[in-house]
Amino acid sequence: MIKPIMRDTQFLAQKAVPATPADTDVLTDLRDTLQANTDRCVGMAANMIGINKRIIIVQMGVLPVILVNPQIVRQDKPYQTTEGCLSLTGERPTTRYETIEVTYQDQAFKPHRQAFSGWIAQIIQHEVDHCEGRII
Ligand SMILES: CSCC[C@H](NC=O)C(=O)O
């Protein structure tokens, strides 16, 4: 189901709780909501649609990829950039890392450990920050 984008910064400042297989509906809602916003959005965290669970979705080229319970376990080569967010107005400066390594579960809850770099890594960092209650 397509959900409205949450702009309540008090809600968004909460740390998301771990997701379980009971949260499968959230995966569908995230996919539907990202799909409805691809003109202005490349990634989303579940709390952005009002669900305080640790689930993110990231547009990887044409493919939306779900990462459940993502954790950044390594980060290298910091750089400064600016980013916007659907939950905010305007752009803000932030520090990101060129290369990261992430542990997560896929939509079947199978565990992965994977390295990402560049643009995809930047989006993942932005969305994992949402899971921590950190907004740019
Ligand atoms: C460069 S990361 C930007 C991510 C942002 N999504 C919000 O969580 C968006 O604009 O899609």
Side-chain angles (χ1 to χ4, degrees), residues 3-129:
K3 300 277 186 163
I5 303 297
M6 166 69 70
R7 296 177 67 100
D8 175 344
T9 46
Q10 245 181 341
F11 178 85
L12 290 169
Q14 298 173 84
K15 190 176 159 104
V17 303
T20 71
D23 296 314
T24 313
D25 285 359
V26 183
L27 311 187
T28 314
D29 291 348
L30 264 181
R31 251 179 226 292
D32 292 349
T33 310
L34 179 63
Q35 174 94 48
N37 286 282
T38 45
D39 55 327
R40 59 197 184 116
C41 186
V42 289
M44 235 175 232
N47 53 9
M48 291 175 69
I49 56 168
I51 300 158
N52 203 28
K53 294 289 173 83
R54 200 173 178 94
I55 307 171
I56 67 173
I57 186 164
V58 177
Q59 197 70 37
M60 298 200 191
V62 290
L63 276 188
V65 176
I66 299 249
L67 285 74
V68 178
N69 296 319
Q71 298 277 0
I72 297 173
V73 293
R74 191 176 57 78
Q75 49 191 28
D76 291 313
K77 299 192 202 147
Y79 62 95
Q80 295 298 315
T81 187
T82 55
E83 289 175 357
C85 179
L86 276 194
S87 296
L88 297 172
T89 309
E91 295 218 330
R92 299 187 184 182
T94 184
T95 302
R96 296 297 181 209
Y97 294 83
E98 176 61 28
T99 309
I100 57 172
E101 199 168 335
V102 184
T103 59
Y104 65 97
Q105 291 139 37
D106 61 25
Q107 54 192 340
F109 283 81
K110 184 177 160 217
H112 296 266
R113 184 184 180 109
Q114 193 176 346
F116 297 92
S117 59
W119 179 233
I120 304 294
Q122 185 178 345
I123 305 168
I124 292 173
Q125 289 168 81
H126 181 111
E127 305 313 336
V128 170
D129 272 356

